[in-house]
């Protein structure tokens, strides 16, 4: 397969041109281009440059605003709300972040509810600014009804990612970001593009039969990770980032899409905790105990979540990113 090597500056500038050329405002183009470049840089191809295809498609279908200005509201002592106005979540997140951090430092715990946002991005990008600020973070969002609950075969839940981050001072933070489905939908779409079968256990076809054919699973139903355990987490995400914050469930998001095939629309919930507010003078003692835990994990050969991302990042900063010529051409054709 022919590959194309892009420096991070070239990758960002390609993404930015595509987004501006298709009518996204400078503010949205900047945050979205940065996000997909960072996804590619961090070795997360399912949330990297490939996403530009779905982003532009969603715009052309009229299912995302290219220029809505987010409205950030100080809604309660420990709650920030950000109305994305039908645009992608990223600008709303960026504009609400300072108030979320301020409230977390003041109250010890605070929440940001982003409403009316179209969502495609990896959640680790929303957690890292929190861990960089010395805070513990949690984020989740529903998507479209693509995933069957354990025991069923019909799509009901979204891929419903959950991300969690723990600050580690000068060391890279502990951050996991995982779909509650067996894989992100983007992974299945990438297998389809590459003409490869998917692993068993990712989904069933439209007759409810296990399948490794990516198209059959996209047309049928994806499965949760860990059977009923992943299913319970997926339901929790539906509730926390749906009804709790006055936004859509994945089934409602898919109904709203009305067959257009756009990216999911709804809410995202982000929680932040300030260890120094919980622990006062003792914070450093207990944060050191967290390091003991991480050391004990690594001493058995276990990898800390996020480690691979930081290795990929360091490499991409030196060597740039590599994508297939086909993907590069498909992205260039969007300009
Ligand atoms: O790939 O799981 C996914 C996804 C969620 C929202 C958009 N894509």
């Amino acid at each position: 397969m022919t590959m194309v090597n892009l420096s991070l500056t070239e990758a960002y500038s390609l993404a930015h041109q595509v987004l501006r050329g298709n009518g996204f405002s400078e503010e949205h183009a900047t945050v979205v281009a940065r996000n997909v470049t960072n996804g590619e840089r961090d070795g997360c191809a399912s949330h990297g440059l490939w996403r530009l295809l779905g982003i532009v498609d969603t715009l052309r279908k009229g299912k995302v605003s290219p220029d809505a200005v987010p409205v950030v509201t100080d809604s309660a002592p420990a709650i920030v709300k950000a109305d994305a106005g039908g645009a992608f979540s990223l600008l709303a997140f960026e504009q609400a972040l300072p108030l979320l951090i301020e409230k977390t430092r003041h109250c010890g715990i605070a929440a940001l509810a982003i409403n009316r946002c179209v969502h495609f991005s990896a959640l680790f990008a929303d957690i890292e600014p929190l861990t960089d600020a010395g805070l513990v973070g949690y984020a989740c969002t529903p998507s479209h009804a693509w995933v069957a609950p354990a025991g069923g075969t019909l799509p009901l839940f979204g891929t419903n990612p959950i991300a969690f981050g723990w600050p580690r001072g000068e060391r890279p933070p502990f951050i996991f970001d995982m779909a509650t489905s067996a894989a992100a939908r983007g992974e299945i779409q990438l297998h389809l593009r590459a003409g490869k079968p998917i692993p068993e256990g990712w989904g069933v076809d439209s007759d409810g039969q296990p399948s490794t054919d990516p198209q059959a699973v996209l047309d049928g139903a994806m499965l949760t990770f860990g059977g009923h355990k992943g299913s319970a987490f997926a339901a929790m995400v539906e509730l926390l980032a749906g009804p709790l914050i006055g936004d859509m469930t994945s089934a409602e998001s898919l109904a709203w899409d009305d067959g257009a095939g756009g990216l999911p629309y709804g809410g995202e919930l982000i929680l932040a905790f300030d260890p120094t507010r919980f622990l006062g003078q003792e914070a450093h003692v207990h944060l050191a105990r967290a390091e003991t835990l991480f050391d004990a994990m690594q001493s058995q050969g276990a990898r800390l979540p996020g480690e691979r991302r930081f290795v990929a990042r360091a490499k991409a900063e030196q060597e740039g990113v590599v994508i297939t010529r086909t993907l590069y051409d498909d992205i260039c054709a969007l300009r």
Side-chain angles (χ1 to χ4, degrees), residues 11-20 22-40 47-59 64-68 86-94 118-122 125-126 263 334:
Y12 172 84
S13 135
L14 174 64
H16 188 265
Q17 270 175 42
V18 164
L19 294 161
R20 287 294 280 147
N22 279 277
F24 283 98
S25 68
E26 179 58 29
E27 289 75 12
H28 282 289
T30 300
V31 290
V32 172
R34 191 189 306 140
N35 183 276
V36 295
T37 305
N38 289 352
E40 199 70 48
H47 289 83
L49 294 171
W50 166 77
R51 282 281 166 190
L52 289 165
L53 309 184
I55 288 167
V56 170
D57 185 52
T58 302
L59 180 73
V64 65
S65 162
D67 54 6
F88 289 123
S89 61
L90 296 167
L91 189 60
F93 175 76
E94 186 175 277
V118 179
H119 215 291
F120 71 87
S121 46
D126 297 349
L263 288 161
L334 297 173

Short mmCIF file of all heavy atoms in Angstrom, two decimals, residues 11-20 22-40 47-59 64-68 86-94 118-122 125-126 263 334:
data_model
loop_
_atom_site.label_atom_id
_atom_site.label_comp_id
_atom_site.label_asym_id
_atom_site.label_seq_id
_atom_site.Cartn_x
_atom_site.Cartn_y
_atom_site.Cartn_z
N ALA A 11 -0.07 18.23 8.26
CA ALA A 11 -1.35 17.55 8.54
C ALA A 11 -2.37 18.57 9.03
O ALA A 11 -3.53 18.58 8.57
CB ALA A 11 -1.13 16.46 9.60
N TYR A 12 -1.94 19.44 9.95
CA TYR A 12 -2.87 20.45 10.47
C TYR A 12 -3.33 21.37 9.35
O TYR A 12 -4.51 21.68 9.22
CB TYR A 12 -2.18 21.28 11.59
CG TYR A 12 -3.02 22.45 12.02
CD1 TYR A 12 -4.02 22.29 12.98
CD2 TYR A 12 -2.84 23.71 11.44
CE1 TYR A 12 -4.82 23.37 13.35
CE2 TYR A 12 -3.64 24.78 11.80
CZ TYR A 12 -4.62 24.60 12.75
OH TYR A 12 -5.43 25.65 13.11
N SER A 13 -2.38 21.79 8.52
CA SER A 13 -2.73 22.76 7.49
C SER A 13 -3.66 22.14 6.44
O SER A 13 -4.59 22.79 5.97
CB SER A 13 -1.42 23.35 6.96
OG SER A 13 -1.40 23.43 5.64
N LEU A 14 -3.46 20.85 6.12
CA LEU A 14 -4.39 20.17 5.20
C LEU A 14 -5.80 20.13 5.81
O LEU A 14 -6.79 20.47 5.15
CB LEU A 14 -3.87 18.74 4.95
CG LEU A 14 -4.77 17.82 4.14
CD1 LEU A 14 -4.97 18.34 2.72
CD2 LEU A 14 -4.20 16.39 4.09
N ALA A 15 -5.87 19.73 7.08
CA ALA A 15 -7.18 19.64 7.74
C ALA A 15 -7.84 21.02 7.79
O ALA A 15 -9.04 21.17 7.50
CB ALA A 15 -7.00 19.08 9.15
N HIS A 16 -7.07 22.02 8.13
CA HIS A 16 -7.60 23.39 8.26
C HIS A 16 -8.14 23.87 6.91
O HIS A 16 -9.24 24.43 6.82
CB HIS A 16 -6.51 24.30 8.81
CG HIS A 16 -6.99 25.66 9.15
ND1 HIS A 16 -6.91 26.72 8.29
CD2 HIS A 16 -7.59 26.15 10.27
CE1 HIS A 16 -7.43 27.80 8.85
NE2 HIS A 16 -7.84 27.48 10.06
N GLN A 17 -7.36 23.63 5.84
CA GLN A 17 -7.81 24.04 4.49
C GLN A 17 -9.12 23.37 4.11
O GLN A 17 -10.01 23.99 3.56
CB GLN A 17 -6.79 23.59 3.46
CG GLN A 17 -5.69 24.55 3.15
CD GLN A 17 -4.70 23.86 2.20
OE1 GLN A 17 -5.08 23.17 1.26
NE2 GLN A 17 -3.43 24.05 2.48
N VAL A 18 -9.21 22.06 4.40
CA VAL A 18 -10.42 21.32 4.06
C VAL A 18 -11.62 21.91 4.81
O VAL A 18 -12.69 22.14 4.24
CB VAL A 18 -10.25 19.81 4.41
CG1 VAL A 18 -11.58 19.09 4.46
CG2 VAL A 18 -9.30 19.15 3.42
N LEU A 19 -11.41 22.21 6.08
CA LEU A 19 -12.52 22.70 6.90
C LEU A 19 -12.93 24.11 6.49
O LEU A 19 -14.12 24.40 6.31
CB LEU A 19 -12.13 22.65 8.39
CG LEU A 19 -11.91 21.21 8.91
CD1 LEU A 19 -11.10 21.21 10.20
CD2 LEU A 19 -13.25 20.51 9.12
N ARG A 20 -11.95 24.98 6.30
CA ARG A 20 -12.27 26.36 5.88
C ARG A 20 -12.89 26.34 4.48
O ARG A 20 -13.88 27.03 4.23
CB ARG A 20 -11.00 27.23 5.87
CG ARG A 20 -10.50 27.59 7.24
CD ARG A 20 -11.47 28.50 8.01
NE ARG A 20 -11.36 29.88 7.61
CZ ARG A 20 -12.37 30.76 7.57
NH1 ARG A 20 -13.59 30.39 7.92
NH2 ARG A 20 -12.18 32.00 7.19
N ASN A 22 -14.67 24.21 3.16
CA ASN A 22 -16.04 23.72 3.17
C ASN A 22 -16.98 24.61 3.97
O ASN A 22 -18.15 24.28 4.13
CB ASN A 22 -16.09 22.29 3.70
CG ASN A 22 -15.72 21.29 2.60
OD1 ASN A 22 -16.55 20.92 1.79
ND2 ASN A 22 -14.44 20.94 2.53
N GLY A 23 -16.45 25.72 4.51
CA GLY A 23 -17.34 26.70 5.11
C GLY A 23 -17.33 26.76 6.63
O GLY A 23 -18.11 27.50 7.22
N PHE A 24 -16.46 25.99 7.29
CA PHE A 24 -16.39 26.12 8.76
C PHE A 24 -15.75 27.46 9.11
O PHE A 24 -14.82 27.91 8.41
CB PHE A 24 -15.57 24.97 9.37
CG PHE A 24 -16.35 23.68 9.44
CD1 PHE A 24 -16.18 22.70 8.47
CD2 PHE A 24 -17.25 23.45 10.47
CE1 PHE A 24 -16.91 21.52 8.51
CE2 PHE A 24 -17.98 22.28 10.52
CZ PHE A 24 -17.81 21.30 9.55
N SER A 25 -16.23 28.08 10.18
CA SER A 25 -15.63 29.35 10.62
C SER A 25 -14.20 29.10 11.06
O SER A 25 -13.81 27.95 11.37
CB SER A 25 -16.44 29.92 11.79
OG SER A 25 -16.27 29.09 12.92
N GLU A 26 -13.42 30.17 11.13
CA GLU A 26 -12.01 30.04 11.53
C GLU A 26 -11.92 29.37 12.92
O GLU A 26 -11.07 28.50 13.14
CB GLU A 26 -11.37 31.44 11.55
CG GLU A 26 -9.91 31.48 11.98
CD GLU A 26 -8.99 30.60 11.12
OE1 GLU A 26 -9.27 30.38 9.94
OE2 GLU A 26 -7.98 30.10 11.69
N GLU A 27 -12.81 29.76 13.83
CA GLU A 27 -12.74 29.22 15.21
C GLU A 27 -12.98 27.71 15.21
O GLU A 27 -12.26 26.94 15.85
CB GLU A 27 -13.79 29.89 16.11
CG GLU A 27 -13.51 31.34 16.45
CD GLU A 27 -13.78 32.29 15.28
OE1 GLU A 27 -14.40 31.88 14.27
OE2 GLU A 27 -13.34 33.45 15.38
N HIS A 28 -14.02 27.27 14.46
CA HIS A 28 -14.31 25.83 14.43
C HIS A 28 -13.22 25.09 13.66
O HIS A 28 -12.78 24.01 14.08
CB HIS A 28 -15.69 25.56 13.82
CG HIS A 28 -16.81 25.81 14.79
ND1 HIS A 28 -17.05 25.00 15.87
CD2 HIS A 28 -17.72 26.81 14.86
CE1 HIS A 28 -18.08 25.47 16.56
NE2 HIS A 28 -18.51 26.57 15.98
N ALA A 29 -12.78 25.67 12.53
CA ALA A 29 -11.75 24.99 11.72
C ALA A 29 -10.49 24.77 12.56
O ALA A 29 -9.86 23.71 12.48
CB ALA A 29 -11.44 25.79 10.47
N THR A 30 -10.14 25.76 13.37
CA THR A 30 -8.91 25.67 14.17
C THR A 30 -8.99 24.53 15.18
O THR A 30 -8.10 23.68 15.25
CB THR A 30 -8.66 27.01 14.90
OG1 THR A 30 -8.53 28.02 13.91
CG2 THR A 30 -7.40 26.97 15.75
N VAL A 31 -10.09 24.47 15.93
CA VAL A 31 -10.14 23.43 16.99
C VAL A 31 -10.34 22.04 16.39
O VAL A 31 -9.78 21.06 16.90
CB VAL A 31 -11.22 23.73 18.07
CG1 VAL A 31 -10.82 24.91 18.92
CG2 VAL A 31 -12.60 23.93 17.47
N VAL A 32 -11.11 21.96 15.30
CA VAL A 32 -11.35 20.64 14.70
C VAL A 32 -10.07 20.14 14.02
O VAL A 32 -9.68 18.97 14.18
CB VAL A 32 -12.55 20.68 13.73
CG1 VAL A 32 -12.68 19.36 12.97
CG2 VAL A 32 -13.84 20.98 14.48
N ALA A 33 -9.37 21.03 13.30
CA ALA A 33 -8.12 20.62 12.63
C ALA A 33 -7.10 20.18 13.68
O ALA A 33 -6.40 19.18 13.50
CB ALA A 33 -7.57 21.76 11.79
N ARG A 34 -7.04 20.90 14.80
CA ARG A 34 -6.08 20.53 15.85
C ARG A 34 -6.45 19.15 16.42
O ARG A 34 -5.60 18.29 16.63
CB ARG A 34 -6.12 21.58 16.96
CG ARG A 34 -4.99 21.43 17.96
CD ARG A 34 -5.16 22.34 19.16
NE ARG A 34 -5.35 23.73 18.80
CZ ARG A 34 -6.21 24.56 19.40
NH1 ARG A 34 -6.98 24.14 20.38
NH2 ARG A 34 -6.32 25.81 19.00
N ASN A 35 -7.74 18.93 16.61
CA ASN A 35 -8.18 17.67 17.21
C ASN A 35 -7.86 16.47 16.31
O ASN A 35 -7.34 15.45 16.80
CB ASN A 35 -9.67 17.76 17.52
CG ASN A 35 -10.18 16.52 18.22
OD1 ASN A 35 -10.49 15.53 17.58
ND2 ASN A 35 -10.20 16.55 19.54
N VAL A 36 -8.16 16.57 15.01
CA VAL A 36 -7.91 15.39 14.16
C VAL A 36 -6.41 15.19 13.93
O VAL A 36 -5.93 14.06 13.83
CB VAL A 36 -8.69 15.43 12.81
CG1 VAL A 36 -10.18 15.37 13.05
CG2 VAL A 36 -8.34 16.65 11.97
N THR A 37 -5.66 16.30 13.90
CA THR A 37 -4.19 16.17 13.78
C THR A 37 -3.64 15.49 15.02
O THR A 37 -2.79 14.58 14.94
CB THR A 37 -3.54 17.55 13.59
OG1 THR A 37 -4.16 18.19 12.48
CG2 THR A 37 -2.04 17.45 13.35
N ASN A 38 -4.13 15.90 16.18
CA ASN A 38 -3.64 15.30 17.43
C ASN A 38 -4.04 13.83 17.55
O ASN A 38 -3.27 13.01 18.06
CB ASN A 38 -4.15 16.08 18.65
CG ASN A 38 -3.49 17.44 18.76
OD1 ASN A 38 -2.54 17.73 18.03
ND2 ASN A 38 -3.97 18.28 19.66
N GLY A 39 -5.22 13.48 17.04
CA GLY A 39 -5.64 12.07 17.05
C GLY A 39 -4.66 11.24 16.23
O GLY A 39 -4.20 10.18 16.66
N GLU A 40 -4.33 11.74 15.03
CA GLU A 40 -3.39 11.02 14.16
C GLU A 40 -2.02 10.96 14.82
O GLU A 40 -1.37 9.91 14.86
CB GLU A 40 -3.31 11.78 12.81
CG GLU A 40 -2.77 10.97 11.68
CD GLU A 40 -3.72 9.87 11.22
OE1 GLU A 40 -4.91 10.12 11.02
OE2 GLU A 40 -3.23 8.72 11.07
N HIS A 47 -9.68 8.29 15.24
CA HIS A 47 -10.08 9.67 15.56
C HIS A 47 -9.06 10.66 15.00
O HIS A 47 -8.85 11.73 15.56
CB HIS A 47 -10.25 9.84 17.08
CG HIS A 47 -11.46 9.12 17.58
ND1 HIS A 47 -11.46 7.78 17.86
CD2 HIS A 47 -12.72 9.55 17.80
CE1 HIS A 47 -12.67 7.42 18.25
NE2 HIS A 47 -13.45 8.47 18.22
N GLY A 48 -8.45 10.27 13.88
CA GLY A 48 -7.43 11.11 13.27
C GLY A 48 -7.95 11.78 12.00
O GLY A 48 -9.14 12.12 11.89
N LEU A 49 -7.06 11.93 11.01
CA LEU A 49 -7.38 12.68 9.80
C LEU A 49 -8.54 12.07 9.02
O LEU A 49 -9.29 12.76 8.33
CB LEU A 49 -6.13 12.76 8.89
CG LEU A 49 -4.97 13.57 9.48
CD1 LEU A 49 -3.72 13.39 8.62
CD2 LEU A 49 -5.34 15.05 9.58
N TRP A 50 -8.69 10.75 9.15
CA TRP A 50 -9.79 10.06 8.47
C TRP A 50 -11.13 10.68 8.83
O TRP A 50 -12.07 10.71 8.03
CB TRP A 50 -9.74 8.57 8.89
CG TRP A 50 -10.98 7.84 8.53
CD1 TRP A 50 -11.33 7.39 7.30
CD2 TRP A 50 -12.05 7.50 9.41
NE1 TRP A 50 -12.56 6.78 7.35
CE2 TRP A 50 -13.02 6.84 8.63
CE3 TRP A 50 -12.30 7.68 10.77
CZ2 TRP A 50 -14.21 6.37 9.17
CZ3 TRP A 50 -13.47 7.21 11.31
CH2 TRP A 50 -14.42 6.56 10.53
N ARG A 51 -11.24 11.24 10.05
CA ARG A 51 -12.51 11.82 10.50
C ARG A 51 -12.98 12.96 9.60
O ARG A 51 -14.16 13.31 9.59
CB ARG A 51 -12.37 12.35 11.93
CG ARG A 51 -12.41 11.28 12.97
CD ARG A 51 -13.84 10.83 13.26
NE ARG A 51 -13.78 9.59 14.01
CZ ARG A 51 -14.84 8.82 14.27
NH1 ARG A 51 -16.03 9.15 13.84
NH2 ARG A 51 -14.71 7.72 14.94
N LEU A 52 -12.02 13.58 8.87
CA LEU A 52 -12.42 14.72 8.02
C LEU A 52 -13.50 14.31 7.01
O LEU A 52 -14.35 15.11 6.65
CB LEU A 52 -11.20 15.28 7.27
CG LEU A 52 -10.19 16.02 8.17
CD1 LEU A 52 -8.87 16.21 7.45
CD2 LEU A 52 -10.76 17.36 8.63
N LEU A 53 -13.46 13.04 6.58
CA LEU A 53 -14.45 12.59 5.59
C LEU A 53 -15.86 12.68 6.20
O LEU A 53 -16.78 13.20 5.58
CB LEU A 53 -14.16 11.15 5.13
CG LEU A 53 -12.74 10.83 4.65
CD1 LEU A 53 -12.66 9.39 4.14
CD2 LEU A 53 -12.29 11.78 3.56
N GLY A 54 -16.01 12.17 7.42
CA GLY A 54 -17.32 12.19 8.08
C GLY A 54 -17.73 13.61 8.49
O GLY A 54 -18.91 13.95 8.48
N ILE A 55 -16.74 14.42 8.84
CA ILE A 55 -17.02 15.80 9.27
C ILE A 55 -17.60 16.60 8.10
O ILE A 55 -18.63 17.27 8.22
CB ILE A 55 -15.70 16.43 9.79
CG1 ILE A 55 -15.33 15.82 11.13
CG2 ILE A 55 -15.79 17.94 9.86
CD1 ILE A 55 -13.91 16.12 11.61
N VAL A 56 -16.96 16.49 6.94
CA VAL A 56 -17.43 17.25 5.78
C VAL A 56 -18.76 16.67 5.29
O VAL A 56 -19.69 17.41 4.93
CB VAL A 56 -16.35 17.25 4.66
CG1 VAL A 56 -16.89 17.83 3.37
CG2 VAL A 56 -15.13 18.04 5.14
N ASP A 57 -18.88 15.35 5.33
CA ASP A 57 -20.13 14.71 4.92
C ASP A 57 -21.29 15.20 5.80
O ASP A 57 -22.37 15.51 5.31
CB ASP A 57 -19.94 13.19 5.05
CG ASP A 57 -21.13 12.42 4.53
OD1 ASP A 57 -21.54 12.70 3.38
OD2 ASP A 57 -21.66 11.56 5.27
N THR A 58 -21.03 15.29 7.11
CA THR A 58 -22.08 15.73 8.04
C THR A 58 -22.47 17.17 7.74
O THR A 58 -23.65 17.54 7.78
CB THR A 58 -21.58 15.57 9.50
OG1 THR A 58 -21.25 14.20 9.70
CG2 THR A 58 -22.62 15.97 10.52
N LEU A 59 -21.49 18.00 7.40
CA LEU A 59 -21.77 19.41 7.05
C LEU A 59 -22.61 19.46 5.78
O LEU A 59 -23.61 20.18 5.71
CB LEU A 59 -20.45 20.16 6.85
CG LEU A 59 -20.65 21.63 6.48
CD1 LEU A 59 -21.13 22.42 7.69
CD2 LEU A 59 -19.38 22.25 5.93
N VAL A 64 -24.59 19.65 10.84
CA VAL A 64 -23.74 20.32 11.83
C VAL A 64 -23.65 21.79 11.42
O VAL A 64 -23.60 22.10 10.22
CB VAL A 64 -22.34 19.67 11.94
CG1 VAL A 64 -21.52 19.79 10.67
CG2 VAL A 64 -21.55 20.24 13.12
N SER A 65 -23.67 22.66 12.42
CA SER A 65 -23.49 24.08 12.12
C SER A 65 -22.01 24.36 11.90
O SER A 65 -21.17 23.94 12.69
CB SER A 65 -24.00 24.94 13.28
OG SER A 65 -23.47 26.25 13.15
N PRO A 66 -21.67 25.11 10.83
CA PRO A 66 -20.25 25.40 10.58
C PRO A 66 -19.74 26.57 11.42
O PRO A 66 -18.54 26.80 11.47
CB PRO A 66 -20.22 25.77 9.10
CG PRO A 66 -21.59 26.30 8.82
CD PRO A 66 -22.54 25.59 9.75
N ASP A 67 -20.66 27.33 12.03
CA ASP A 67 -20.19 28.60 12.62
C ASP A 67 -20.92 29.00 13.90
O ASP A 67 -20.78 30.15 14.33
CB ASP A 67 -20.34 29.72 11.58
CG ASP A 67 -21.75 29.80 11.04
OD1 ASP A 67 -22.63 29.07 11.55
OD2 ASP A 67 -21.98 30.58 10.09
N ALA A 68 -21.68 28.10 14.52
CA ALA A 68 -22.42 28.51 15.74
C ALA A 68 -21.43 28.96 16.80
O ALA A 68 -20.38 28.36 17.00
CB ALA A 68 -23.26 27.35 16.26
N GLY A 86 -25.54 23.32 17.94
CA GLY A 86 -25.59 22.45 16.76
C GLY A 86 -24.25 22.31 16.06
O GLY A 86 -24.16 21.69 15.00
N ALA A 87 -23.21 22.90 16.64
CA ALA A 87 -21.86 22.75 16.05
C ALA A 87 -21.13 21.61 16.76
O ALA A 87 -21.66 21.01 17.70
CB ALA A 87 -21.09 24.06 16.19
N PHE A 88 -19.91 21.32 16.32
CA PHE A 88 -19.11 20.31 17.02
C PHE A 88 -18.85 20.75 18.45
O PHE A 88 -18.85 21.95 18.76
CB PHE A 88 -17.78 20.06 16.27
CG PHE A 88 -17.98 19.33 14.96
CD1 PHE A 88 -17.54 19.86 13.76
CD2 PHE A 88 -18.63 18.10 14.95
CE1 PHE A 88 -17.73 19.19 12.56
CE2 PHE A 88 -18.82 17.41 13.75
CZ PHE A 88 -18.38 17.96 12.57
N SER A 89 -18.58 19.77 19.30
CA SER A 89 -18.42 20.03 20.74
C SER A 89 -17.16 20.83 21.09
O SER A 89 -17.08 21.46 22.14
CB SER A 89 -18.34 18.68 21.47
OG SER A 89 -17.21 17.95 20.99
N LEU A 90 -16.16 20.79 20.17
CA LEU A 90 -14.81 21.19 20.59
C LEU A 90 -14.67 22.66 20.97
O LEU A 90 -13.99 23.00 21.93
CB LEU A 90 -13.81 20.84 19.48
CG LEU A 90 -13.68 19.33 19.23
CD1 LEU A 90 -12.94 19.05 17.93
CD2 LEU A 90 -12.97 18.67 20.39
N LEU A 91 -15.33 23.54 20.22
CA LEU A 91 -15.20 24.97 20.53
C LEU A 91 -15.93 25.28 21.84
O LEU A 91 -15.45 26.05 22.67
CB LEU A 91 -15.76 25.81 19.37
CG LEU A 91 -15.50 27.30 19.44
CD1 LEU A 91 -14.00 27.60 19.47
CD2 LEU A 91 -16.16 28.04 18.27
N ALA A 92 -17.10 24.65 22.03
CA ALA A 92 -17.85 24.85 23.28
C ALA A 92 -16.99 24.39 24.46
O ALA A 92 -16.91 25.06 25.49
CB ALA A 92 -19.16 24.07 23.23
N PHE A 93 -16.31 23.24 24.29
CA PHE A 93 -15.45 22.74 25.37
C PHE A 93 -14.35 23.76 25.66
O PHE A 93 -14.11 24.13 26.82
CB PHE A 93 -14.84 21.39 24.99
CG PHE A 93 -13.85 20.91 26.01
CD1 PHE A 93 -14.27 20.38 27.21
CD2 PHE A 93 -12.49 21.04 25.78
CE1 PHE A 93 -13.36 19.98 28.19
CE2 PHE A 93 -11.56 20.63 26.74
CZ PHE A 93 -12.01 20.10 27.95
N GLU A 94 -13.69 24.21 24.59
CA GLU A 94 -12.55 25.13 24.79
C GLU A 94 -13.00 26.41 25.51
O GLU A 94 -12.33 26.90 26.41
CB GLU A 94 -11.94 25.48 23.43
CG GLU A 94 -10.68 26.30 23.57
CD GLU A 94 -10.01 26.54 22.23
OE1 GLU A 94 -9.27 25.64 21.79
OE2 GLU A 94 -10.23 27.61 21.62
N VAL A 118 -22.57 18.28 18.07
CA VAL A 118 -22.30 17.12 17.22
C VAL A 118 -20.96 16.58 17.69
O VAL A 118 -20.03 17.35 17.96
CB VAL A 118 -22.27 17.53 15.73
CG1 VAL A 118 -21.98 16.33 14.85
CG2 VAL A 118 -23.60 18.17 15.35
N HIS A 119 -20.86 15.24 17.83
CA HIS A 119 -19.67 14.68 18.48
C HIS A 119 -18.99 13.64 17.61
O HIS A 119 -19.62 12.72 17.13
CB HIS A 119 -20.06 14.03 19.82
CG HIS A 119 -18.99 14.22 20.85
ND1 HIS A 119 -17.77 13.59 20.75
CD2 HIS A 119 -18.93 14.98 21.96
CE1 HIS A 119 -17.02 13.96 21.77
NE2 HIS A 119 -17.68 14.81 22.53
N PHE A 120 -17.69 13.82 17.43
CA PHE A 120 -16.92 12.81 16.69
C PHE A 120 -15.58 12.56 17.35
O PHE A 120 -14.87 11.64 16.99
CB PHE A 120 -16.64 13.31 15.24
CG PHE A 120 -15.64 14.43 15.21
CD1 PHE A 120 -14.28 14.16 15.15
CD2 PHE A 120 -16.05 15.75 15.30
CE1 PHE A 120 -13.34 15.19 15.18
CE2 PHE A 120 -15.12 16.78 15.33
CZ PHE A 120 -13.77 16.49 15.27
N SER A 121 -15.20 13.39 18.32
CA SER A 121 -13.80 13.45 18.74
C SER A 121 -13.50 12.50 19.90
O SER A 121 -14.39 12.17 20.69
CB SER A 121 -13.46 14.88 19.14
OG SER A 121 -14.48 15.41 19.96
N ALA A 122 -12.23 12.11 20.00
CA ALA A 122 -11.80 11.25 21.11
C ALA A 122 -11.88 12.06 22.40
O ALA A 122 -11.52 13.24 22.44
CB ALA A 122 -10.36 10.81 20.85
N ALA A 125 -8.90 14.01 24.52
CA ALA A 125 -8.53 15.40 24.24
C ALA A 125 -9.23 16.36 25.21
O ALA A 125 -8.76 17.47 25.44
CB ALA A 125 -8.89 15.75 22.81
N ASP A 126 -10.37 15.95 25.74
CA ASP A 126 -11.08 16.80 26.71
C ASP A 126 -10.59 16.55 28.14
O ASP A 126 -10.86 17.34 29.04
CB ASP A 126 -12.59 16.53 26.66
CG ASP A 126 -13.19 16.89 25.30
OD1 ASP A 126 -12.48 17.52 24.49
OD2 ASP A 126 -14.35 16.53 25.05
N LEU A 263 -22.95 12.61 11.80
CA LEU A 263 -22.35 12.24 13.08
C LEU A 263 -23.35 12.48 14.21
O LEU A 263 -24.29 13.26 14.06
CB LEU A 263 -21.07 13.06 13.29
CG LEU A 263 -19.90 12.63 12.39
CD1 LEU A 263 -18.85 13.74 12.28
CD2 LEU A 263 -19.26 11.35 12.91
N LEU A 334 -11.56 16.79 -0.90
CA LEU A 334 -12.58 17.58 -0.19
C LEU A 334 -12.28 19.08 -0.23
O LEU A 334 -13.11 19.88 0.17
CB LEU A 334 -12.63 17.16 1.29
CG LEU A 334 -13.02 15.73 1.64
CD1 LEU A 334 -12.84 15.48 3.12
CD2 LEU A 334 -14.49 15.49 1.23
#
